[in-house]
Amino acid sequence: MLVELNNRERATLRAVAEGRVEITCSSEPDLYVDGLPLCDQATARRLVHGGLLGPARTDDVGSRVPAVLTGEGAVRLGT
């Protein structure tokens, strides 16, 4: 679990909450914000592996699907 979120992580979670983020279906997912790849994939993976966001649904490996906050992600974001 992530102890403290930095500004980029909070901004990424806000974008997910706003419905602006897609995630690739993969064990090492990539995020796309407003259709563009997130430049900091370490942040993407830290948030996913930290259990704060994930795919809205399962799909083929490599497919892009909407990203959603987990319950813990919503709590950490304060929504």
Side-chain angles (χ1 to χ4, degrees):
M1 178 191 278
L2 301 176
V3 176
E4 185 175 327
L5 298 175
N6 63 38
N7 289 337
R8 184 173 292 168
E9 291 164 341
R10 281 192 298 278
T12 302
L13 291 178
R14 281 192 302 272
V16 171
E18 294 167 358
R20 299 173 35 221
V21 179
E22 293 177 299
I23 186 171
T24 57
C25 295
S26 171
S27 61
E28 292 299 334
D30 295 318
L31 296 182
Y32 293 81
V33 180
D34 298 330
L36 300 172
L38 180 68
C39 65
D40 185 352
Q41 291 305 319
T43 290
R45 292 174 181 145
R46 184 171 137 107
L47 293 172
V48 172
H49 293 304
L52 303 182
L53 66 91
R57 65 177 187 278
T58 58
D59 208 327
D60 295 331
V61 173
S63 296
R64 284 168 43 175
V65 299
V68 293
L69 294 177
T70 63
E72 178 65 21
V75 167
R76 296 293 296 274
L77 187 58
T79 59

